Amino acid sequence: QVQLVESGGGLVQAGGSLSLSCTASGRTLSTTPMGWFRRAQGNEREFVSAIGGTGDSTIYGDSVKGRFTISRDNAKNTMYLQMDNLKPEDTAVYYCVAKRRGADMIFTTADDWGRGTQVTVSP
């Protein structure tokens, strides 16, 4: 019913920047809350950021506040994550998610998830 594809991951040195994109097909995402999560090797899924359907509301995990910026372009059916001042501990697979139903920003396995993109930050 929906396909979410992340792009923009790669290798970067500590202190550098990367921009991630998540583009959806199969349905439009206007009014739909979306978010980013990440999973480092051996760790549980960690919340990174979320954004309301119109882009009016954003939240960030404590570990990325002041360094990452979430945004969206509903005309392109795309969500973005600008990552600045990257640290080695940011190394993880980053996943985008779109709310299946509802207007809250609490995401579960019932929502629509991408397959992830690898971000690796070298010291």
Side-chain angles (χ1 to χ4, degrees), residues 23-104:
T23 299
S25 61
R27 70 181 177 104
T28 58
L29 297 177
S30 60
T31 77
T32 301
M34 298 182 70
W36 292 95
F37 287 75
R38 67 188 183 187
R39 177 168 285 162
Q41 182 178 341
N43 290 356
E44 297 295 317
R45 182 189 66 182
E46 178 187 16
F47 173 75
V48 176
S49 186
I51 187 167
T54 63
D56 57 311
S57 179
T58 60
I59 54 175
Y60 296 90
D62 288 341
S63 63
V64 306
K65 287 179 180 177
R67 300 189 298 119
F68 291 10
T69 304
I70 191 171
S71 62
R72 65 191 297 160
D73 185 342
N74 285 343
K76 297 180 179 179
N77 227 25
T78 299
M79 177 182 64
Y80 306 94
L81 185 69
Q82 176 66 41
M83 304 184 294
D84 297 318
N85 192 24
L86 284 161
K87 304 175 180 180
E89 51 263 44
D90 295 318
T91 296
V93 177
Y94 284 70
Y95 300 89
C96 67
V97 59
K99 195 77 175 175
R100 182 74 62 86
R101 60 185 62 85
D104 62 82

